[in-house]
Amino acid sequence: MRRRIFLTILLISLITSSIASILTTYVYYNFYVKDAKQELKTIIMLTAESHKWDSVSSINSSVNSILKSLDYSIRFTIIKEDGSVIYDNWQDKIKENHKDRPEVVEAFERGFGEDIRYSNTVSSDMYYYAVRLNNGEVLRLSREISSINRIFVELIPMLFVLFIFVLIVVYFAASITSNKILKPIKEMTKSLDDMLEEGSKVNMKIYEEFEPLSNTIRDQKNKINEYINELKYERDNISFITSNMKEGFILLNYNKDILSINKSGKIMIGNESFELKGSRNILELTRSPEIIEKINISIKENRHLIHDVEISDKFYRYYFSPVVEENKIVKGLLILIEDITIQKKSEIMRSEFTANVSHELKTPLTTMIGFAEMIKEGLITDANIEKYSALIYKEGIRLISLIEDLMRLSKIQEHTENVEEQLINIKDISEDVVYLLKSKAENYSVKLILNADDVVMKANNNYINELLYNLIDNGIKYNKDGGSVNIKIWEEDGFANIVVIDTGVGIPIEHIDRIFERFYRVDKSRSKETGGTGLGLSIVKHITELYDGTIDIKSSNTGTRIIVKLPV
């Protein structure tokens, strides 16, 4: 009986092992073939951009890059719509037409195609996968099937050794099982092993004394699995949230090792290529003395700190928050980084604007109050009252002009004014502006030259008038005696081109980037003489931006050229 059980178990084990080995080999072979096909498809999909295959150099570069990352050979073929082969990395010239190849036909019809067949070109069975590129050509990749078979031939010795090992194990297992078949304690051990497998429904007979232990183990296993699932869920949620934050997020432990960091954190700290693999210290992410110092202070002193950093033209605000347990022991540090570039630049602009407005308003007021006080105290004779009254009047007009320009600029910039837009002809407006400034140009001995085509666009008449007036007026005021202002207007490629060229003193190159700022003057003394407010070009810039246009300026010591383009 014992021998029969032994032989039965051994025979069944041998048959089962053989079938399992055959089935495993077959399934693994099919899986490997499928994986090889999928790998070939993935390669072609990732490299199917037309620019990678549009020239011999780019083709060779793409082919070499792919082959370097593989341990087997792939054939690359590029086929034109007429079926002729223009590239093949296995053969220099192929005269045979490939238009009737099944995978090529499918690629031209559906965008992709595949086939397995014998290749006369390389005398071997090949797997082909083709995809149509954007330029109409077909990129085909192929791989020898024999290379896959060769792999499994090499595995046969290992499988044979494994099979012998299984036979030995089965022999001893059958012997032991036949000797212990009637011992329930063995069944109990086997039952416990099966219960530890996830999803197991094994319900084997055991001693009554072992039933509480068996139930306890099963319950503990279920609780552990639930706890692990909760941890995975929380981890995935935190990872999803931090990866989608626009703020930088960095989590450190007490030793300043990085536990977590999101993409924004890498970018803002200036190390976008950083990869968190294993245990990496904060010094591997940044060597900034200021940031390292703040981290040390925050952890050692358990203090929440805020620190602003300027990198290039960006401003970042760092929030250092210690991670503390209930016993107030610091266990780590959370660093949140916020991009405050817009806020900082707005503060700087507001500060400069306030200072400029205060100065520009104070200057004429001081002059007016000074002359008025002199008249009040009788320090000015009757003969000079008219002269000083004219000066007060002039400063008052300048002050009103400044306030009006400020109000106009504010309305344009913030769109608070109800702007009535209609179809206007820029040529007509330019002729009106030139007529208005003609006498001023004569006073400055400057000649106005207008060369304008009929250009029609939808815009506010006053805004375009203001734009042209300021450009031409600047050209007159900052010109030379006997100079000229040349105004050209024409339409090209859907844009109204307005070009104003003067023969004046020019703008030094270091001032060109700031010339459109409010109150900015290159020559402040000359601006005062000409009565300028320093807002003209700023108004021009904001009107241009209001209509999604562009403005460009080129200047030298022989004059200035300003080009405005507005979409029509």
Side-chain angles (χ1 to χ4, degrees), residues 251-255 298-299 321-324 329-334:
L251 183 62
L252 309 178
N253 62 13
Y254 184 79
N255 297 321
S298 183
I299 292 178
S321 302
V323 179
V324 183
I329 296 177
V330 177
K331 290 294 183 180
L333 183 70
L334 174 63

Side-chain angles (χ1 to χ4, degrees), residues 233-247:
Y233 178 77
E234 291 180 2
R235 180 200 63 190
D236 293 342
N237 278 345
I238 293 173
S239 177
F240 177 77
I241 292 171
T242 56
S243 63
N244 286 279
M245 289 172 57
K246 67 176 182 178
E247 295 82 9

Side-chain angles (χ1 to χ4, degrees), residues 211-224:
E211 287 185 359
L213 177 61
S214 174
N215 293 333
T216 300
I217 292 175
R218 188 184 296 274
D219 292 340
Q220 289 297 322
K221 176 179 175 291
N222 292 334
K223 289 180 180 179
I224 291 172

